[in-house]
């Protein structure tokens, strides 16, 4: 009769009931999520993964601001069709310096995780100014204003790098000092292209799969 | 789950999973099998609704029992076969990475023979096979049309026409293959600062009329002979080793207006063709070379 009397006890003592509910609903997280928080392979950069340079970091913020991730994913799934089309599938260690990651969830345009080196800077410039000038039936919007605004206007680059440094990204103090001068003379378009050109290049290209 | 942080977490997962199974087993036992001879008696003091409805007088439905049993059997089987129970990798030794690798190598093997045939085939044989040419065109559409245009005739005076007779880097199959595999980086430095603006204008005009036959009295010629012959040649026929285009034909990558040519000379040009030896395999490159040279025969 233990079953029923325990049932009765739980029903009549709301403190016990709350504890019981919490315990049962925590099991999934305790088994699936908690161990992963201590999993080193998620924290260890793979290949040549390095913290974003001041310019690439600024480009990344422009990518976020302009909503590129609304139409583009940065996540090549471990499926043969994706590996054939885009290159080696995305490894967790490639995203250790992404805060937040930009995996995205909808592909109106193609995945961009391995776009680095696929095209030239000039192509990216023309494509961002007016996608239809190089891909006649493209439905991507143009971003011509990026070529007119200075990259330094995005602002707070040193503060951003210092915050990331405090989160454990290995920026040297010198590289933070130089950050503003690195942005000098560059447009937002330049910074965005620098960001795009280094995407996915940390993994050795051509290595399988 | 092979790379768990250590034995502790592996044990943690195993213990919690097994405890969960035990709790489910106990729940099933207590609901369906526990000896409850007089359920009515136990609930005597509890309220009754609608004349006869009270706690404990309707047994839990059996479909629920079969559902939980089925789910439990499935998860035990799953945890035996596949990774999930701590660092135990399952008797099938399945992993996502191995699965991609396998399907990739199956894919490679499936087409290995066909690819080898393409690599060894004579270009003329490939060119006379409409199926092969259709495949080549598809590869071109996917990999190259973003720059060179859908019909390979070039785009926006930045990406060259590949169907005309001028080849900056050489038009033989070997040279084209070299272009595709290694990419090309052209470099003409900016001449502003070195040459006076007036002289730049003169040499631009000279260059623009070169295809009409050299005019020895043209005022731009001296500038040309001083600065430009090293790369573009005395007669303007170019140099494929440097990617310096011929200037004595009427084919212009960057446009045939005076302004375009002035821009090329004043600010220089750094055309870049990316390398494809990692993106494409030997057969695909061979097909593209055949496709690009199909009108030469």
């Amino acid at each position: 009769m233990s079953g029923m009397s325990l049932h009765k006890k739980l029903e009549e003592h709301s403190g016990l009931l709350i504890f019981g509910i919490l315990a049962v609903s925590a099991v999934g997280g305790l088994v699936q999520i908690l161990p992963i928080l201590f999993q080193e392979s998620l924290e260890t950069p793979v290949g040549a993964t390095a913290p974003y340079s001041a310019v690439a970091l600024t480009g990344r913020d422009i990518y976020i601001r302009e909503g590129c991730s609304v139409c583009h994913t940065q996540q090549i799934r471990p499926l043969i069709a994706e590996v054939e089309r885009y290159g080696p599938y995305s490894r967790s260690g490639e995203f250790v310096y992404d805060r937040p990651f930009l995996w995205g969830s909808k592909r109106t345009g193609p995945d961009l995780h391995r776009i680095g080196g696929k095209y030239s800077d000039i192509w990216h410039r023309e494509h961002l100014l007016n996608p239809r000038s190089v891909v006649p039936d493209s439905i991507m919007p143009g971003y011509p204003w990026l070529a007119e605004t200075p990259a330094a206007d995005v602002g707070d680059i040193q503060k951003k790098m210092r915050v990331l440094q405090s989160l454990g990204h290995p920026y040297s103090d010198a590289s933070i000092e130089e950050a503003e001068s690195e942005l000098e003379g560059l447009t937002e378009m330049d910074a965005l292209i620098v960001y795009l050109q280094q995407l996915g290049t940390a993994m050795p290209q051509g290595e399988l799969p | 789950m092979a790379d768990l942080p250590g034995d502790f977490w592996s044990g943690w997962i195993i213990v919690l999973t097994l405890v969960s199974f035990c709790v489910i087993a106990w729940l099933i036992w207590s609901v369906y099998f526990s000896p409850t001879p007089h359920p009515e008696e136990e609930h005597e003091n509890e309220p009754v609704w609608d004349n006869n409805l009270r706690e404990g007088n309707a047994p839990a439905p059996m479909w629920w029992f079969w559902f939980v049993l089925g789910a439990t059997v499935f998860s035990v089987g799953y945890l035996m076969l596949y990774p999930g129970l701590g660092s135990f990798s399952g008797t099938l030794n399945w992993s996502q990475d191995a699965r991609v690798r396998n399907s990739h190598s199956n894919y490679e093997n499936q087409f290995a023979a066909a690819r080898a045939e393409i690599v060894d085939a004579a270009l003329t044989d490939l060119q006379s096979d409409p199926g092969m040419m259709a495949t080549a065109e598809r590869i071109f559409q996917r990999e190259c049309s973003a720059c060179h245009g859908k019909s390979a005739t070039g785009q926006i005076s930045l990406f060259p026409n590949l169907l005309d007779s001028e080849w900056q880097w050489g038009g033989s199959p070997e040279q084209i293959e070299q272009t595709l595999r290694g990419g090309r980086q052209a470099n003409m430095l900016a001449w502003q600062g070195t040459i006076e603006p007036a002289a730049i204008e003169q040499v631009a005009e000279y260059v623009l009329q070169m295809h009409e036959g050299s005019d020895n009295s043209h005022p731009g010629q001296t500038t040309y002979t001083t600065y430009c012959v090293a790369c573009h040649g005395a007669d303007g026929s170019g140099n494929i080793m440097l990617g310096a285009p011929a200037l004595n034909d009427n084919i212009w990558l960057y446009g045939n207006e005076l302004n375009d040519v002035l821009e090329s000379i004043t600010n220089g040009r750094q055309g870049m063709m990316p390398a494809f030896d990692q993106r494409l395999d030997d057969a695909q490159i061979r097909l593209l070379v055949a496709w690009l040279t199909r009108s030469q025969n």
Side-chain angles (χ1 to χ4, degrees):
Chain A
M1 234 353 303
S2 63
M4 277 309 161
S5 55
L6 181 65
H7 184 179
K8 210 165 152 60
K9 230 181 256 166
L10 276 170
E11 273 197 341
E12 285 168 7
H13 298 83
S14 53
L16 209 57
L17 187 63
I18 290 174
F19 174 79
I21 292 173
L22 288 180
V24 170
S25 48
V27 170
L30 289 176
V31 172
Q32 298 252 26
I33 300 172
L34 190 66
I36 287 177
L37 298 183
F38 298 92
Q39 191 169 324
E40 225 164 83
S41 68
L42 302 185
E43 306 271 308
T44 317
V46 296
T49 307
Y52 291 102
S53 70
V55 180
L57 192 64
T58 304
R60 205 182 110 89
D61 284 335
I62 297 164
Y63 186 95
I64 296 171
R65 187 190 72 200
E66 299 297 341
C68 309
S69 50
V70 174
C71 291
H72 291 288
T73 55
Q74 288 188 16
Q75 177 188 199
I76 302 163
R77 293 172 292 181
L79 303 170
I80 183 71
E82 304 226 339
V83 167
E84 276 297 312
R85 174 167 178 186
Y86 296 119
Y89 66 85
S90 305
R91 307 304 207 268
S92 46
E94 290 180 88
F95 299 100
V96 294
Y97 299 118
D98 273 31
R99 284 177 201 269
F101 60 77
L102 300 173
W103 296 337
S105 58
K106 172 133 194 328
R107 285 182 184 159
T108 302
D111 188 277
L112 295 182
H113 187 207
R114 305 230 180 267
I115 193 71
K118 183 179 175 191
Y119 298 118
S120 52
D121 291 357
I122 290 184
W123 185 87
H124 281 296
R125 174 172 304 281
E126 297 300 324
H127 184 251
L128 285 168
L129 285 172
N130 174 14
R132 270 139 316 273
S133 69
V134 281
V135 183
D137 36 7
S138 174
I139 56 161
M140 176 167 143
Y143 295 85
W145 59 88
L146 296 180
E148 283 145 31
T149 26
D153 283 8
V154 177
D156 290 339
I157 182 66
Q158 294 189 335
K159 205 190 242 171
K160 271 182 235 161
M161 289 171 81
R162 236 173 249 121
V163 170
L164 290 174
Q165 191 189 35
S166 72
L167 292 171
H169 293 205
Y171 286 119
S172 68
D173 290 329
S175 70
I176 298 181
E177 284 310 312
E178 284 160 16
E180 257 161 21
S181 61
E182 275 172 41
L183 290 179
E184 238 163 66
L186 297 183
T187 63
E188 291 189 332
M189 177 86 79
D190 297 326
L192 180 57
I193 292 173
V194 167
Y195 169 66
L196 291 173
Q197 289 291 30
Q198 52 82 58
L199 270 181
T201 54
M203 284 284 291
Q205 292 274 319
E207 197 164 279
L208 290 179
Chain B
M1 294 286 265
D3 58 348
L4 277 176
D7 290 345
F8 170 77
W9 289 109
S10 174
W12 166 272
I13 291 173
I14 293 174
V15 167
L16 275 180
T17 308
L18 296 182
V19 166
S20 301
F21 276 125
C22 293
V23 169
I24 291 171
W26 169 78
L27 188 70
I28 289 289
W29 178 83
S30 70
V31 170
Y32 290 99
F33 301 108
S34 69
T36 48
H38 306 293
E40 309 285 321
E41 274 163 38
E42 198 196 330
H43 297 293
E44 226 157 44
N45 303 326
E46 290 177 3
V48 180
W49 288 278
D50 290 348
N51 294 333
N52 59 356
L53 203 58
R54 61 154 45 135
E55 186 84 8
N57 71 347
M62 279 317 277
W63 68 263
W64 196 77
F65 170 75
W66 292 115
F67 180 77
V68 174
L69 187 73
T72 310
V73 169
F74 174 82
S75 19
V76 171
Y78 182 92
L79 289 175
M80 292 294 100
L81 295 175
Y82 291 99
L85 203 58
S87 53
F88 174 57
S89 52
T91 47
L92 291 183
N93 247 322
W94 186 92
S95 82
Q96 203 170 40
D97 185 68
R99 195 187 63 154
V100 188
R101 273 174 211 277
N102 282 342
S103 46
H104 194 85
S105 58
N106 286 346
Y107 187 81
E108 295 289 307
N109 293 339
Q110 188 186 345
F111 296 109
R115 284 184 180 152
E117 238 170 69
I118 292 172
V119 171
D120 293 336
L123 288 176
T124 44
D125 290 345
L126 294 175
Q127 284 157 347
S128 54
D129 182 337
M132 288 294 173
M133 286 299 95
T135 309
E137 186 167 357
R138 260 200 314 277
I139 301 170
F140 186 88
Q141 294 299 341
R142 196 183 66 214
E143 301 287 342
C144 324
S145 66
C147 291
H148 294 288
K150 287 201 157 177
S151 46
T153 46
Q155 291 199 119
I156 55 170
S157 289
L158 285 176
F159 305 110
N161 184 342
L162 300 178
L163 298 182
D164 60 21
S165 57
E166 177 169 346
W167 293 94
Q168 243 175 292
W169 299 95
S172 75
E174 294 72 28
Q175 288 161 329
I176 292 179
E177 179 174 339
Q178 183 60 38
T179 301
L180 302 195
R181 284 190 188 279
R184 298 288 192 186
Q185 174 71 63
N187 197 359
M188 179 166 87
L189 297 175
W191 289 102
Q192 64 180 353
T194 312
I195 307 178
E196 292 298 315
I200 288 187
E201 188 133 4
Q202 281 177 350
V203 76
E205 281 164 3
Y206 174 73
V207 161
L208 266 171
Q209 57 78 55
M210 271 178 114
H211 65 277
E212 291 162 356
S214 262
D215 173 1
N216 281 329
S217 59
H218 198 285
Q221 196 188 26
T222 19
T223 316
Y224 185 85
T225 331
T226 319
Y227 297 105
C228 319
V229 282
C231 297
H232 292 285
D235 56 351
S237 57
N239 182 341
I240 55 171
M241 302 305 289
L242 300 165
L247 302 175
N248 60 2
D249 53 20
N250 201 15
I251 296 173
W252 303 94
L253 167 54
Y254 294 109
N256 61 356
E257 301 292 326
L258 179 61
N259 272 345
D260 303 324
V261 174
L262 274 177
E263 166 69 23
S264 293
I265 303 171
T266 312
N267 293 319
R269 294 286 190 185
Q270 283 78 36
M272 192 274 250
M273 156 77 193
F276 280 86
D277 54 347
Q278 302 283 352
R279 293 186 62 85
L280 300 177
D281 60 42
D282 293 350
Q284 289 172 315
I285 289 181
R286 184 87 178 149
L287 280 173
L288 283 172
V289 171
W291 190 73
L292 287 171
T293 54
R294 67 196 184 285
S295 57
Q296 290 182 5
N297 305 310

